[in-house]
Amino acid sequence: MTNTTRAESRTLGFGAVVLALACLAPTFSAHAQQEIPAMRQEQPAAQTLSAKQQAIPLIAAAMAVSDMPGLNIALNRGLDAGLTVSEAKEILIQLYAYVGFPRSLNALGELKTIVDQRAERGVRDEPGREPGRAIPVGDELRAVGTANQTRISGAPVAGPVFEFAPVINQFLQTHLFGDIFERDNLDWQSRELATVGALAATPGVESHIAKGFSLLISAYSNGGFEPITTSRKRNQGFKRANGRADKPGS
């Protein structure tokens, strides 16, 4: 097996974890629809994921484990499927909050190289649009971020960890759900796909994967993942993905 084939298999395997969770769709969907109000979306929920949407968790998973060959494959696949350069950048920018600045910077550098190489080959990727919504500051930013966090979570976020270290929730509200989620050049469905994709490739965060998936299902209800899950189960990377938590380097 070539290095490229191994990288593609590994990246598809990580992404397959996200898509494989769709087997739980009926359970999660019923739970999410009871607890989570309608999220603000730029686009209506679809019954199945488009090719562009399918690429997002693959990109996120490869970035989360610094799999640069796999990231190259996933980004090219996303761009070929219609992901704009702005949307691709936004995915990689958002994920710094989940997997760190160094990985985000490396991934953005890889994206720039890919876009430049594609341009040299005569491929014109749609640049997309920059965020158009004005981002508030100060107390207003925290209020907006708290509202976004509550809308996404279905209820105000609280618990022992936030009581022990309340500043972490302040950072979540002002920065992740404020500064980042208020940027309107990537819809919330795509942001959740990226989040779950990154978490699926990260060992030790299973409870967060389950929560993220329940939020994702609230946007893609009625078993919309099923056709994709069926096709992805045939992929050779699927078995590798099943052991991802115990063998993060496989």
Side-chain angles (χ1 to χ4, degrees):
M1 182 181 291
T2 66
N3 289 338
T4 300
T5 303
R6 288 193 187 97
E8 183 170 21
S9 177
R10 181 167 59 250
T11 300
L12 290 174
F14 288 141
V17 171
V18 183
L19 299 169
L21 287 171
C23 294
L24 302 176
T27 300
F28 273 118
S29 182
H31 174 74
Q33 289 178 27
Q34 289 175 2
E35 293 194 357
I36 302 176
M39 292 165 52
R40 179 176 61 186
Q41 302 173 48
E42 301 301 327
Q43 301 173 3
Q47 292 302 305
T48 60
L49 296 182
S50 66
K52 181 174 82 169
Q53 290 166 325
Q54 289 181 48
I56 293 174
L58 305 181
I59 292 168
M63 173 181 163
V65 295
S66 296
D67 178 4
M68 303 311 285
L71 180 62
N72 184 291
I73 292 167
L75 284 170
N76 271 291
R77 179 168 298 184
L79 292 170
D80 288 341
L83 198 68
T84 70
V85 176
S86 176
E87 289 169 334
K89 286 193 294 185
E90 191 67 19
I91 290 165
L92 304 179
I93 290 168
Q94 172 187 319
L95 290 179
Y96 99 81
Y98 297 91
V99 300
F101 265 118
R103 287 188 173 94
S104 180
L105 293 171
N106 289 344
L108 286 165
E110 183 69 14
L111 174 61
K112 183 181 185 304
T113 297
I114 289 169
V115 171
D116 290 345
Q117 291 174 342
R118 289 167 65 92
E120 290 175 2
R121 299 197 307 268
V123 178
R124 184 188 180 280
D125 293 306
E126 181 64 36
R129 64 183 182 85
E130 293 301 308
R133 181 184 298 138
I135 307 297
V137 296
D139 292 340
E140 184 182 354
L141 174 62
R142 186 170 186 185
V144 168
T146 301
N148 289 344
Q149 181 192 51
T150 301
R151 186 177 295 112
I152 291 170
S153 301
V157 173
V161 171
F162 297 118
E163 294 172 3
F164 179 69
V167 71
I168 192 66
N169 203 22
Q170 177 183 332
F171 291 162
L172 286 170
Q173 292 164 346
T174 57
H175 188 48
L176 178 60
F177 294 108
D179 287 321
I180 295 177
F181 270 68
E182 274 297 287
R183 291 166 61 86
D184 60 359
N185 57 330
L186 189 68
D187 63 75
W188 282 9
Q189 294 172 346
S190 297
R191 291 189 184 278
E192 288 299 329
L193 280 168
T195 297
V196 177
L199 294 177
T202 304
V205 295
E206 284 73 18
S207 64
H208 298 283
I209 296 173
K211 177 62 175 175
F213 183 71
S214 70
L215 299 178
L216 192 56
I217 283 296
S218 74
Y220 296 95
S221 58
N222 301 320
F225 284 119
E226 185 177 357
I228 299 166
T229 306
T230 302
S231 63
R232 289 293 182 179
K233 281 182 178 179
R234 301 190 186 102
N235 188 281
Q236 60 180 328
F238 187 78
K239 289 183 179 179
R240 185 174 305 203
N242 287 339
R244 158 308 285 166
D246 296 328
K247 299 178 182 179
S250 62

